[in-house]
């Protein structure tokens, strides 16, 4: 069965304290792995697409990496405005399968 | 600016009532999707449409119906058969892809509650 698991469920960081979010997946034939940011009461905002193991994408303080079994979203020197829920999704059999998300809180 | 517009932002349903959620996009995307998001759960796919006049059931289609008469529009009806409709509903769209290799772009959701 295709499955996506994100960890941890919640993460609290001090401003400037770097960390990583994990997205583990089992899927028959990965078509793509997608990262989204979701603010409370809003729809998910697309961040990155990764298609093959070894691929990396960066945007400001965020860097996404991909292996054959998992993806990491590295957050370098986070700021309070990076606080949000981060969702991971994998593309398989014509649709996206979403993980439950990691809620990140960055304290000043 | 191109984007996806969902309306209304908040919706209240009475017992036995059908309600329709609107989703319009001007991104020129062929594919459109409806998801349901509940606290502590990931997004669950209700219905999707890859092309006008065609749509498929997702993982939790019971109690819902859709239509796709125009490329830009994909309304979702929550029927009285859906016994637990309270949730955050998200509409998304994408370019057509090969088995889910295209990112989906989302609207800002409709929150549905029971009166």
């Amino acid at each position: 069965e295709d499955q996506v698991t994100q960890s941890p469920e919640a993460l609290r960081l001090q401003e400037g304290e770097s960390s990583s979010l994990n997205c583990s997946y089992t899927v028959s034939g990965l078509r793509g792995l997608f990262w989204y940011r979701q603010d409370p009461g809003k729809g998910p905002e697309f961040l990155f697409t990764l298609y093959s193991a070894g691929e990396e994408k960066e945007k400001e303080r965020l860097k996404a990496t991909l292996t054959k079994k998992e993806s990491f979203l590295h957050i370098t020197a986070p700021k309070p405005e990076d606080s949000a829920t981060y969702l991971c999704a994998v593309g398989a059999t014509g649709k996206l399968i979403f993980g439950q998300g990691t809620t990140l809180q960055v304290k000043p | 600016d191109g984007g996806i517009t969902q309306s209304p932002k908040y919706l209240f349903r009475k017992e036995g009532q059908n309600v329709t959620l609107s989703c319009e996009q001007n991104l020129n995307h062929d594919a459109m999707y409806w998801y349901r998001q509940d606290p502590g759960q990931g997004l669950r796919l209700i219905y999707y449409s890859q092309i006008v006049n065609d749509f498929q059931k997702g993982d939790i289609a019971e109690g819902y119906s859709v239509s796709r008469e125009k490329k830009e529009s994909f309304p979702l009806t929550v029927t009285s058969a859906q016994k637990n409709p309270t949730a955050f509903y998200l509409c998304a769209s994408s370019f057509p892809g090969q088995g889910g290799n295209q990112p989906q772009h989302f609207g800002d959701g409709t929150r549905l509650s029971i009166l």
Side-chain angles (χ1 to χ4, degrees):
Chain A
E1 181 185 354
D2 297 336
Q3 195 169 5
V4 179
T5 303
Q6 291 188 246
S7 62
E9 288 186 15
L11 181 62
R12 288 184 178 183
L13 299 174
Q14 288 295 130
E15 184 173 0
E17 179 186 3
S18 301
S19 187
S20 297
L21 282 55
N22 178 263
C23 172
S24 298
Y25 62 89
T26 53
V27 63
S28 53
L30 179 70
R31 300 290 191 269
L33 187 139
F34 308 90
W35 281 100
Y36 291 85
R37 169 191 170 128
Q38 186 175 23
D39 293 302
K42 299 284 190 179
E45 174 190 351
F46 171 67
L47 293 173
F48 304 111
T49 305
L50 301 166
Y51 288 111
S52 57
E55 190 174 358
E56 299 181 352
K57 293 277 181 71
E58 285 189 69
K59 181 180 180 180
E60 296 181 358
R61 295 176 292 282
L62 301 177
K63 179 180 178 180
T65 62
L66 180 64
T67 72
K68 288 186 178 180
K69 293 184 178 181
E70 58 191 349
S71 177
F72 291 94
L73 184 65
H74 307 278
I75 302 177
T76 302
K79 298 182 178 182
E81 53 261 42
D82 294 321
S83 298
T85 296
Y86 291 85
L87 301 172
C88 167
V90 296
T93 60
K95 60 182 182 180
L96 297 190
I97 301 168
F98 283 83
Q100 294 181 329
T102 294
T103 299
L104 172 65
Q105 183 181 29
V106 182
K107 293 189 173 183
Chain B
D1 286 338
I4 300 174
T5 302
Q6 290 188 242
S7 62
K9 190 171 180 62
Y10 299 96
L11 187 58
F12 298 92
R13 196 192 87 170
K14 295 180 181 179
E15 292 288 339
Q17 185 181 44
N18 294 350
V19 292
T20 298
L21 285 61
S22 171
C23 177
E24 303 277 334
Q25 56 98 1
N26 61 3
L27 298 169
N28 199 32
H29 287 164
D30 287 298
M32 297 187 74
Y33 311 82
W34 274 105
Y35 291 90
R36 170 180 172 141
Q37 187 174 37
D38 294 281
Q41 297 194 37
L43 276 66
R44 293 184 289 168
L45 184 63
I46 304 173
Y47 269 98
Y48 63 104
S49 168
Q50 298 285 354
I51 196 169
V52 174
N53 292 323
D54 188 40
F55 49 83
Q56 288 76 42
K57 293 182 179 180
D59 300 318
I60 55 165
E62 186 175 349
Y64 301 97
S65 66
V66 294
S67 63
R68 187 82 188 280
E69 298 177 358
K70 298 189 299 182
K71 183 176 180 178
E72 301 80 15
S73 178
F74 191 40
L76 173 74
T77 296
V78 183
T79 75
S80 57
Q82 172 50 245
K83 298 307 180 188
N84 184 25
T86 298
F88 190 47
Y89 290 87
L90 288 160
C91 178
S93 69
S94 74
F95 289 113
Q98 297 298 321
N101 67 349
Q102 293 294 320
Q104 295 176 13
H105 299 271
F106 287 82
D108 273 341
T110 292
R111 188 166 298 280
L112 176 61
S113 303
I114 293 293
L115 278 178

